[in-house]
Amino acid sequence: MTRVALIAHDDEKPEMIDLAQSYEATLSEFDLVGTGTTSKRIMAETDLTVERKESGPMGGDTQIGAEVAEGRMDGIVFLRDPLTAQPHEPDISALLRICDVHDVPLATTRTAAEYVLEGLARDGSDD
């Protein structure tokens, strides 16, 4: 099953919720994982089940990065706030880098997220 991570910084959580609601049918076909509060909010506002990792500052980004390194992640939607400094910036940079190293699609904007989700859904329907 296609495994996708959903991550959003605080200012981007409303956009992530809107994305999850708009793509709920597609996302329901995926094995979803996400960081703490993002996962909790998605599950509260949709019928989706999301495996919860730690919050980003508590190691959630690193946990998801480990899954990328292990070949267990097919795509990541990380709606991040590029204008606000994050206390766990090294973890964020490591996650972005590990996605590049392992050629895992990573979307950091709403438009890119839609392309990644639609592409993963199309690839999954070819199986």
Side-chain angles (χ1 to χ4, degrees), residues 43-108:
M43 289 190 291
E45 299 188 42
T46 69
D47 288 327
L48 297 168
T49 300
V50 184
E51 178 187 330
R52 287 183 70 195
K53 300 292 186 185
E54 296 292 331
S55 69
M58 299 302 292
D61 300 330
T62 303
Q63 289 176 304
I64 291 170
E67 289 200 32
V68 172
E70 294 167 352
R72 297 178 45 215
M73 195 64 61
D74 298 299
I76 296 178
V77 173
F78 187 169
L79 301 183
R80 59 194 194 105
D81 180 356
L83 301 178
T84 303
Q86 301 294 326
H88 60 294
E89 196 66 43
D91 294 344
I92 295 166
S93 295
L95 177 59
L96 302 178
R97 186 172 45 258
I98 203 75
C99 287
D100 289 346
V101 168
H102 290 275
D103 196 25
V104 171
L106 167 71
T108 60

